[in-house]
Amino acid sequence: MATYRWKSFNDDGDRPDKPRRYGVTEMRGPHYSIFSRGLLEDVFESMGQFVDGLKFCGGSHTLMPKTYIKEVTDMAHKYNVYVNSGDWADQMLRQGPSAFKEYIEECKQLGFDTIELDVASLGLPEDTLLRYVRLIKSGGLRAKPQFSVKFNKSDIAFTGNRAFGAYVIPPPQTSEMVEDVDLLVRRAERCLEAGADMIMINADDLGRQADFLRSDMIAKIVGRLGLEKTMFEASDPKISEWFVKCYGPKVNLFVDHSQVMDLECLRGRNLGQDHSSLLGRSYFLL
C-alpha cells in the first residue's frame, strides 16, 4: 500500500467550486476521432462538476464548420467549462502579426476563452512570444503558453526483461535535450509577467520516468512557478496518479475525457458542499 505525501487535508484547504484557480481538470476535446456533441454533453452532464476546461487539440477545429464549433463552445459554457483553442495558433503566426490579430478576434466570435501558444513548435524569439501574450490579453482572452520539457532519451534506464549480462544497445542521442530547466522556467516567468494566466507543461516523458530520473525538473518548475499557475499534461493515467500522489489534489492536469472520473477519484476530496468524499479521509492509494 502506497501512501500519498499529503496525508491530511483540512476542509478550509479544499478545492473550491467552479470556476477555480487550482485543482483544475482540463480535458481533451475533438482530435483525431469523432467526438460528437452528444458525447460531449454526456460527459458534461455526468461529470461536469469535475471538468473545468475543454481543449481542441491538434488544430481539429480547422476542419469543422464554424457553426458546429460555436454550438460546442456554447454548450461548454452552459456547464461552466472554459474552452481552449489548443495549438492552432502556430498555423496563423506564420502569416504575420496582422493575421494573428484576426485569429484572436475569430476565437472570440467562436466562443473560445483561452488561446494556447505552443512555444516549442512556434520557435519564436522571447520578445515576440511576450508580444503575442500581450495581444491575447488585450483582446480579452486568456493566454496559456505551452512549454515542452525534453531531455536525452538515452539517459533513461533500461527497464525491460533481458538475459543476465546481455548487451543492450543504448538508445541514440537526441538533440532535444534541455539540461538547464532554469532557462525554461525563466521564460515561463516572463510570460506570466506579461499577463499569461497559466503555463502548460508538456511533461509526458518526464512523468513516465519521474520516479527514476527527472522528478527534480518537475519539482523545480512547481517550486518556481507554483501549482496555481502551472498545468501538466498527463496523457497516461499513471502520470496523473504520480502528480496527485506527489503534489496533492490542487495540481492542475490536462487529461483525456476518459480519465476525468479516475482523476477525480485520485484527487479524493469533495467539491463544494453537495459532493461527498470519494476516498474518505485516509487518503491511501490501494
Side-chain angles (χ1 to χ4, degrees):
M1 180 179 294
T3 308
Y4 286 107
R5 293 182 184 177
W6 43 280
K7 293 182 181 180
S8 61
F9 197 78
N10 296 327
D11 289 340
D12 292 340
D14 200 359
R15 290 157 66 220
D17 290 322
K18 297 193 306 182
R20 41 185 165 255
R21 296 176 291 106
Y22 52 83
V24 173
T25 297
E26 184 175 307
M27 77 173 197
R28 180 181 290 107
H31 195 15
Y32 296 122
S33 60
I34 295 177
F35 206 127
S36 67
R37 286 190 300 273
L39 179 54
L40 275 175
E41 191 160 21
D42 287 343
V43 172
F44 291 149
E45 284 184 351
S46 60
M47 299 181 290
Q49 60 182 324
F50 309 136
V51 179
D52 299 272
L54 170 69
K55 177 179 175 179
F56 281 71
C57 295
S60 56
H61 48 303
T62 62
L63 304 177
M64 301 176 184
K66 292 183 179 181
T67 53
Y68 175 84
I69 297 174
K70 190 64 170 64
E71 290 174 1
V72 171
T73 57
D74 288 344
M75 179 173 59
H77 292 155
K78 184 176 71 172
Y79 291 92
N80 200 12
V81 174
Y82 70 82
V83 187
N84 181 359
S85 68
D87 52 4
W88 185 37
D90 59 342
Q91 302 296 325
M92 303 299 299
L93 290 178
R94 296 188 178 94
Q95 303 176 30
S98 59
F100 187 62
K101 291 181 180 180
E102 295 174 1
Y103 167 67
I104 294 174
E105 188 59 34
E106 184 176 16
C107 284
K108 290 179 64 176
Q109 294 175 359
L110 292 177
F112 289 103
D113 306 284
T114 300
I115 292 182
E116 188 170 294
L117 295 171
D118 191 335
V119 178
S121 65
L122 293 175
L124 294 173
E126 185 173 297
D127 290 343
T128 305
L129 173 63
L130 299 178
R131 185 165 67 250
Y132 284 138
V133 169
R134 296 187 187 100
L135 280 174
I136 295 172
K137 295 298 295 181
S138 64
L141 299 178
R142 288 179 284 186
K144 182 191 285 188
Q146 174 177 307
F147 292 86
S148 296
V149 183
K150 299 179 181 179
F151 58 95
N152 205 307
K153 303 301 188 296
S154 63
D155 291 339
I156 301 176
F158 180 79
T159 57
N161 296 325
R162 61 185 178 90
F164 177 76
Y167 173 72
V168 178
I169 300 176
Q173 296 284 315
T174 69
S175 59
E176 298 179 331
M177 181 171 56
V178 176
E179 292 181 333
D180 186 7
V181 72
D182 290 309
L183 178 61
L184 181 152
V185 173
R186 179 54 190 150
R187 295 189 72 190
E189 287 176 334
R190 293 204 65 189
C191 286
L192 292 174
E193 292 168 2
D197 298 88
M198 187 173 289
I199 302 297
M200 173 76 85
I201 302 293
N202 183 351
D204 275 354
D205 288 335
L206 289 178
R208 291 190 185 97
Q209 300 295 331
D211 285 330
F212 310 102
L213 188 64
R214 302 317 305 260
S215 57
D216 58 323
M217 283 187 171
I218 296 175
K220 183 171 289 189
I221 292 171
V222 171
R224 293 271 295 275
L225 302 180
L227 282 178
E228 183 178 319
K229 292 294 185 179
T230 312
M231 177 176 287
F232 293 96
E233 182 171 352
S235 59
D236 190 312
K238 292 182 179 179
I239 302 176
S240 302
E241 180 181 331
W242 184 89
F243 274 110
V244 176
K245 180 180 178 182
C246 292
Y247 293 103
K250 292 185 178 182
V251 64
N252 303 315
L253 294 175
F254 169 65
V255 299
D256 188 75
H257 75 281
S258 61
Q259 301 170 23
V260 170
M261 187 60 77
D262 288 340
L263 173 58
E264 197 57 37
C265 289
L266 286 172
R267 292 192 193 276
R269 286 297 292 179
N270 58 302
L271 296 172
Q273 303 298 321
D274 59 350
H275 177 66
S276 59
S277 174
L278 294 172
L279 296 183
R281 308 187 69 86
S282 59
Y283 300 107
F284 283 105
L285 177 64
L286 301 179

